[in-house]
Amino acid sequence: MHSSTSLLQKAQLICELSDGHSLPQALQELKEEPALKAMIEFFGCTTPEEAVLLAWAFGRGIQVSEFILQDIIDDFGKDLHQVDLLLHSLQALCQMNLLEADVDPTDNSFLLAKFKLPTQVLLAALHQNAGLLLPVKLARFQSYLQFAFQLIGLVKADKLNAANFHKSLLQAENHNTHLPAIQQLRQLIPDFQQRLILLVLLEHSVQQDHKWIDLTDVLKYCAPNSLEAYEVLCRFRMGQWQLFREGFIQPYSPEIADEQHVKLTAYAFQVLLPEIPVPAAFQSSLLRVILPDAITPEALFFEPAQQEQLGLIGSVFQQDQLASLQAALKSNGLQPGISILLHGQPGTGKTASVLQWAQRSGRTVLQVEISQIRSKWLGDSEKNMRRVFSDYDRACREYTQLPVLLFNEADALFGRRLQVERSVDQVQNNLQNILLQAMEDFKGILVATTNLPKQLDPAFDRRFLYKLYFDKPTQAARLQIWKAAFPAVNHKTLVELDQQYALTGGQIRNIQRKFTIQQVVGNKQPDADSLHQWAAEELYRERSDRPTVIGFQAYRQCS
């Protein structure tokens, strides 16, 4: 392989040997010249005439930025008979992107065009890397990305300045607008600088295994000077980036104003690298992520009428049903969001039902971390509440199916609005107003559970499409729960337990956990007496026959 210097020297040698000759005469002089063969092989020229003209353009283009046909005629013997040959070769070089012209090669005015040597052609020669040459038309978007990655590598190695990097990449885009992915990218991100940032982030993700990156390390390649880099960074902190609004990037900590570490979202990979499956890596300090694979399938038992209602709502979670339902709602001028309120007795299967619906439909559950919403800092509670829904919107772009937004123990946030007497009352009312508006505009799946429905503000009533009450299980349902939890225990014991203790499913689940702990830790098989004891403990609130005694009096009674 020739060094980059020798390739330019060969171009210079061709210029010297052809100087003053017409193009046909020059070809006779260069017929056996290795330098001409090297130019043809490296740049993929289809004729020797093209290689001679390109070598001349190297000598001319380095000295001056532009040239015209008359300049070529003057240097090639001022023979006007060769104009057709020159024009044909110039057209071929322009169509191969080895030369640039300010007129389309097929236009009648091409005779008067101004020509110049493209930056990437000079870079390819300097770095002896033919991969930097932009093909006429790329067949795949991945080829365009490979070209972009090579340029980014040169920028990072200080072998290419930012201005030439931007120019070369924009030329590559313009030459390949036939690719659907480039069309889509331009439509989603109209600003070229934002697309530039996106490609640098993608190159980093591919090279560094999707790690976080400081934006200042990105902007030094994408902004021409430090002042513009600072301006772009300020726009990011103010949430004005198209990349952020369209869901292409996610900040490490959105609640920290000065945080500037970012990485690409799964949605960005779906757009840029659709052929490569990338797992969603959604993160939020306000939403606990429960993946469907992490939910253990479980049989839930209810009385028949309630089981039918739950089955109906559960079917809404299925992708085909949800798509049809949302389309029907939209066609009738209604919001496509599905909001569900599950209320009733504790331990009756409200949260468990949501998890099972999500597991069966393959949906991720995003459980709101209610304790993280309220803040001692003025305005932060309201900001966090808005972020719950903005993070959910971001998650919708991350996952292939709409995730479920779950407000467990919703009365802590959905409670009645208060008469303002203290600042904390105003904060509560502000949170209510944000919630009401967010639910009005909601387009996903929202489920709220509560044991205290009477404490909810009446304004939320019409925001919930479905409202389902969970009562304590009937005797038949309880017995089914007992049998599912303790399949090895004889039927008679389970019937006795059911008749003596009217427990909920949650309470029976607690007994099942104690049963398992006794087997593993206590290294012994629990008997019927243990089950009765644990069942009685679950009803401690209802045992009013003897008051609980604590403190010194309790000590005296025991002594």
PDB file of all heavy atoms in Angstrom, residues 137-155:
ATOM      1  N   LYS A 137     -24.168   6.357  -4.820  1.00  0.00           N
ATOM      2  CA  LYS A 137     -25.395   6.144  -4.066  1.00  0.00           C
ATOM      3  C   LYS A 137     -25.209   4.912  -3.201  1.00  0.00           C
ATOM      4  O   LYS A 137     -24.829   3.849  -3.698  1.00  0.00           O
ATOM      5  CB  LYS A 137     -26.594   5.949  -5.004  1.00  0.00           C
ATOM      6  CG  LYS A 137     -27.181   7.252  -5.541  1.00  0.00           C
ATOM      7  CD  LYS A 137     -28.454   6.978  -6.322  1.00  0.00           C
ATOM      8  CE  LYS A 137     -29.002   8.249  -6.938  1.00  0.00           C
ATOM      9  NZ  LYS A 137     -29.618   9.121  -5.959  1.00  0.00           N
ATOM     10  N   LEU A 138     -25.485   5.066  -1.923  1.00  0.00           N
ATOM     11  CA  LEU A 138     -25.352   3.946  -0.993  1.00  0.00           C
ATOM     12  C   LEU A 138     -26.611   3.100  -1.039  1.00  0.00           C
ATOM     13  O   LEU A 138     -27.719   3.621  -1.164  1.00  0.00           O
ATOM     14  CB  LEU A 138     -25.116   4.462   0.425  1.00  0.00           C
ATOM     15  CG  LEU A 138     -23.808   5.236   0.630  1.00  0.00           C
ATOM     16  CD1 LEU A 138     -23.816   5.955   1.957  1.00  0.00           C
ATOM     17  CD2 LEU A 138     -22.618   4.293   0.553  1.00  0.00           C
ATOM     18  N   ALA A 139     -26.433   1.806  -0.906  1.00  0.00           N
ATOM     19  CA  ALA A 139     -27.582   0.902  -0.949  1.00  0.00           C
ATOM     20  C   ALA A 139     -28.225   0.747   0.432  1.00  0.00           C
ATOM     21  O   ALA A 139     -29.416   0.455   0.529  1.00  0.00           O
ATOM     22  CB  ALA A 139     -27.157  -0.468  -1.474  1.00  0.00           C
ATOM     23  N   ARG A 140     -27.439   0.961   1.489  1.00  0.00           N
ATOM     24  CA  ARG A 140     -27.952   0.740   2.835  1.00  0.00           C
ATOM     25  C   ARG A 140     -27.571   1.906   3.735  1.00  0.00           C
ATOM     26  O   ARG A 140     -26.501   2.504   3.600  1.00  0.00           O
ATOM     27  CB  ARG A 140     -27.397  -0.569   3.422  1.00  0.00           C
ATOM     28  CG  ARG A 140     -27.769  -1.806   2.634  1.00  0.00           C
ATOM     29  CD  ARG A 140     -27.010  -3.049   3.075  1.00  0.00           C
ATOM     30  NE  ARG A 140     -27.367  -3.458   4.422  1.00  0.00           N
ATOM     31  CZ  ARG A 140     -26.525  -3.459   5.452  1.00  0.00           C
ATOM     32  NH1 ARG A 140     -25.284  -3.052   5.288  1.00  0.00           N
ATOM     33  NH2 ARG A 140     -26.920  -3.861   6.639  1.00  0.00           N
ATOM     34  N   PHE A 141     -28.437   2.206   4.682  1.00  0.00           N
ATOM     35  CA  PHE A 141     -28.178   3.276   5.644  1.00  0.00           C
ATOM     36  C   PHE A 141     -26.975   2.941   6.507  1.00  0.00           C
ATOM     37  O   PHE A 141     -26.233   3.833   6.934  1.00  0.00           O
ATOM     38  CB  PHE A 141     -29.429   3.479   6.512  1.00  0.00           C
ATOM     39  CG  PHE A 141     -29.297   4.578   7.526  1.00  0.00           C
ATOM     40  CD1 PHE A 141     -29.122   5.895   7.134  1.00  0.00           C
ATOM     41  CD2 PHE A 141     -29.350   4.301   8.880  1.00  0.00           C
ATOM     42  CE1 PHE A 141     -28.997   6.918   8.069  1.00  0.00           C
ATOM     43  CE2 PHE A 141     -29.233   5.312   9.826  1.00  0.00           C
ATOM     44  CZ  PHE A 141     -29.054   6.623   9.412  1.00  0.00           C
ATOM     45  N   GLN A 142     -26.746   1.641   6.764  1.00  0.00           N
ATOM     46  CA  GLN A 142     -25.600   1.242   7.580  1.00  0.00           C
ATOM     47  C   GLN A 142     -24.286   1.658   6.926  1.00  0.00           C
ATOM     48  O   GLN A 142     -23.307   1.958   7.618  1.00  0.00           O
ATOM     49  CB  GLN A 142     -25.621  -0.278   7.821  1.00  0.00           C
ATOM     50  CG  GLN A 142     -26.560  -0.732   8.906  1.00  0.00           C
ATOM     51  CD  GLN A 142     -28.014  -0.654   8.486  1.00  0.00           C
ATOM     52  OE1 GLN A 142     -28.316  -0.421   7.316  1.00  0.00           O
ATOM     53  NE2 GLN A 142     -28.936  -0.852   9.421  1.00  0.00           N
ATOM     54  N   SER A 143     -24.237   1.683   5.580  1.00  0.00           N
ATOM     55  CA  SER A 143     -23.020   2.122   4.883  1.00  0.00           C
ATOM     56  C   SER A 143     -22.765   3.607   5.145  1.00  0.00           C
ATOM     57  O   SER A 143     -21.618   4.038   5.290  1.00  0.00           O
ATOM     58  CB  SER A 143     -23.153   1.859   3.384  1.00  0.00           C
ATOM     59  OG  SER A 143     -23.357   0.487   3.127  1.00  0.00           O
ATOM     60  N   TYR A 144     -23.843   4.362   5.179  1.00  0.00           N
ATOM     61  CA  TYR A 144     -23.718   5.791   5.504  1.00  0.00           C
ATOM     62  C   TYR A 144     -23.190   5.955   6.937  1.00  0.00           C
ATOM     63  O   TYR A 144     -22.333   6.807   7.195  1.00  0.00           O
ATOM     64  CB  TYR A 144     -25.079   6.470   5.358  1.00  0.00           C
ATOM     65  CG  TYR A 144     -25.166   7.830   5.995  1.00  0.00           C
ATOM     66  CD1 TYR A 144     -24.589   8.944   5.399  1.00  0.00           C
ATOM     67  CD2 TYR A 144     -25.821   8.011   7.219  1.00  0.00           C
ATOM     68  CE1 TYR A 144     -24.656  10.194   5.999  1.00  0.00           C
ATOM     69  CE2 TYR A 144     -25.895   9.253   7.817  1.00  0.00           C
ATOM     70  CZ  TYR A 144     -25.312  10.341   7.203  1.00  0.00           C
ATOM     71  OH  TYR A 144     -25.379  11.574   7.797  1.00  0.00           O
ATOM     72  N   LEU A 145     -23.685   5.144   7.869  1.00  0.00           N
ATOM     73  CA  LEU A 145     -23.216   5.223   9.255  1.00  0.00           C
ATOM     74  C   LEU A 145     -21.732   4.853   9.351  1.00  0.00           C
ATOM     75  O   LEU A 145     -20.980   5.481  10.106  1.00  0.00           O
ATOM     76  CB  LEU A 145     -24.050   4.302  10.149  1.00  0.00           C
ATOM     77  CG  LEU A 145     -25.514   4.700  10.361  1.00  0.00           C
ATOM     78  CD1 LEU A 145     -26.219   3.665  11.242  1.00  0.00           C
ATOM     79  CD2 LEU A 145     -25.622   6.086  10.986  1.00  0.00           C
ATOM     80  N   GLN A 146     -21.312   3.852   8.582  1.00  0.00           N
ATOM     81  CA  GLN A 146     -19.900   3.468   8.595  1.00  0.00           C
ATOM     82  C   GLN A 146     -19.023   4.620   8.110  1.00  0.00           C
ATOM     83  O   GLN A 146     -17.950   4.889   8.664  1.00  0.00           O
ATOM     84  CB  GLN A 146     -19.690   2.231   7.730  1.00  0.00           C
ATOM     85  CG  GLN A 146     -20.279   0.958   8.324  1.00  0.00           C
ATOM     86  CD  GLN A 146     -20.252  -0.211   7.367  1.00  0.00           C
ATOM     87  OE1 GLN A 146     -19.798  -0.079   6.227  1.00  0.00           O
ATOM     88  NE2 GLN A 146     -20.734  -1.362   7.808  1.00  0.00           N
ATOM     89  N   PHE A 147     -19.500   5.300   7.062  1.00  0.00           N
ATOM     90  CA  PHE A 147     -18.770   6.463   6.546  1.00  0.00           C
ATOM     91  C   PHE A 147     -18.690   7.548   7.628  1.00  0.00           C
ATOM     92  O   PHE A 147     -17.635   8.140   7.856  1.00  0.00           O
ATOM     93  CB  PHE A 147     -19.469   6.989   5.292  1.00  0.00           C
ATOM     94  CG  PHE A 147     -18.904   8.274   4.760  1.00  0.00           C
ATOM     95  CD1 PHE A 147     -17.712   8.275   4.060  1.00  0.00           C
ATOM     96  CD2 PHE A 147     -19.558   9.480   4.953  1.00  0.00           C
ATOM     97  CE1 PHE A 147     -17.165   9.461   3.562  1.00  0.00           C
ATOM     98  CE2 PHE A 147     -19.032  10.664   4.473  1.00  0.00           C
ATOM     99  CZ  PHE A 147     -17.834  10.654   3.774  1.00  0.00           C
ATOM    100  N   ALA A 148     -19.821   7.799   8.299  1.00  0.00           N
ATOM    101  CA  ALA A 148     -19.853   8.814   9.359  1.00  0.00           C
ATOM    102  C   ALA A 148     -18.912   8.432  10.494  1.00  0.00           C
ATOM    103  O   ALA A 148     -18.190   9.284  11.038  1.00  0.00           O
ATOM    104  CB  ALA A 148     -21.279   8.977   9.874  1.00  0.00           C
ATOM    105  N   PHE A 149     -18.889   7.154  10.876  1.00  0.00           N
ATOM    106  CA  PHE A 149     -18.026   6.702  11.971  1.00  0.00           C
ATOM    107  C   PHE A 149     -16.546   6.891  11.626  1.00  0.00           C
ATOM    108  O   PHE A 149     -15.729   7.212  12.505  1.00  0.00           O
ATOM    109  CB  PHE A 149     -18.292   5.239  12.294  1.00  0.00           C
ATOM    110  CG  PHE A 149     -19.608   4.989  13.002  1.00  0.00           C
ATOM    111  CD1 PHE A 149     -20.008   3.714  13.336  1.00  0.00           C
ATOM    112  CD2 PHE A 149     -20.448   6.046  13.320  1.00  0.00           C
ATOM    113  CE1 PHE A 149     -21.212   3.483  13.983  1.00  0.00           C
ATOM    114  CE2 PHE A 149     -21.661   5.833  13.964  1.00  0.00           C
ATOM    115  CZ  PHE A 149     -22.033   4.548  14.292  1.00  0.00           C
ATOM    116  N   GLN A 150     -16.195   6.684  10.341  1.00  0.00           N
ATOM    117  CA  GLN A 150     -14.802   6.881   9.940  1.00  0.00           C
ATOM    118  C   GLN A 150     -14.401   8.353  10.084  1.00  0.00           C
ATOM    119  O   GLN A 150     -13.304   8.668  10.545  1.00  0.00           O
ATOM    120  CB  GLN A 150     -14.613   6.416   8.495  1.00  0.00           C
ATOM    121  CG  GLN A 150     -14.618   4.900   8.333  1.00  0.00           C
ATOM    122  CD  GLN A 150     -14.428   4.479   6.890  1.00  0.00           C
ATOM    123  OE1 GLN A 150     -15.019   5.046   5.978  1.00  0.00           O
ATOM    124  NE2 GLN A 150     -13.587   3.484   6.675  1.00  0.00           N
ATOM    125  N   LEU A 151     -15.312   9.245   9.686  1.00  0.00           N
ATOM    126  CA  LEU A 151     -15.043  10.669   9.845  1.00  0.00           C
ATOM    127  C   LEU A 151     -14.897  11.043  11.314  1.00  0.00           C
ATOM    128  O   LEU A 151     -13.999  11.799  11.696  1.00  0.00           O
ATOM    129  CB  LEU A 151     -16.166  11.491   9.213  1.00  0.00           C
ATOM    130  CG  LEU A 151     -16.293  11.465   7.684  1.00  0.00           C
ATOM    131  CD1 LEU A 151     -17.474  12.324   7.249  1.00  0.00           C
ATOM    132  CD2 LEU A 151     -15.020  11.967   7.025  1.00  0.00           C
ATOM    133  N   ILE A 152     -15.786  10.515  12.161  1.00  0.00           N
ATOM    134  CA  ILE A 152     -15.734  10.806  13.597  1.00  0.00           C
ATOM    135  C   ILE A 152     -14.413  10.323  14.191  1.00  0.00           C
ATOM    136  O   ILE A 152     -13.809  10.998  15.034  1.00  0.00           O
ATOM    137  CB  ILE A 152     -16.933  10.163  14.314  1.00  0.00           C
ATOM    138  CG1 ILE A 152     -18.241  10.839  13.868  1.00  0.00           C
ATOM    139  CG2 ILE A 152     -16.786  10.271  15.829  1.00  0.00           C
ATOM    140  CD1 ILE A 152     -19.498  10.106  14.288  1.00  0.00           C
ATOM    141  N   GLY A 153     -13.953   9.161  13.734  1.00  0.00           N
ATOM    142  CA  GLY A 153     -12.669   8.645  14.199  1.00  0.00           C
ATOM    143  C   GLY A 153     -11.518   9.584  13.852  1.00  0.00           C
ATOM    144  O   GLY A 153     -10.604   9.783  14.660  1.00  0.00           O
ATOM    145  N   LEU A 154     -11.576  10.182  12.652  1.00  0.00           N
ATOM    146  CA  LEU A 154     -10.536  11.128  12.255  1.00  0.00           C
ATOM    147  C   LEU A 154     -10.589  12.404  13.095  1.00  0.00           C
ATOM    148  O   LEU A 154      -9.553  12.968  13.456  1.00  0.00           O
ATOM    149  CB  LEU A 154     -10.676  11.473  10.767  1.00  0.00           C
ATOM    150  CG  LEU A 154     -10.340  10.359   9.776  1.00  0.00           C
ATOM    151  CD1 LEU A 154     -10.648  10.797   8.352  1.00  0.00           C
ATOM    152  CD2 LEU A 154      -8.867   9.963   9.898  1.00  0.00           C
ATOM    153  N   VAL A 155     -11.810  12.859  13.397  1.00  0.00           N
ATOM    154  CA  VAL A 155     -11.960  14.063  14.223  1.00  0.00           C
ATOM    155  C   VAL A 155     -11.383  13.804  15.609  1.00  0.00           C
ATOM    156  O   VAL A 155     -10.659  14.640  16.163  1.00  0.00           O
ATOM    157  CB  VAL A 155     -13.447  14.473  14.318  1.00  0.00           C
ATOM    158  CG1 VAL A 155     -13.606  15.663  15.253  1.00  0.00           C
ATOM    159  CG2 VAL A 155     -13.995  14.827  12.951  1.00  0.00           C
TER     160      VAL A 155
END
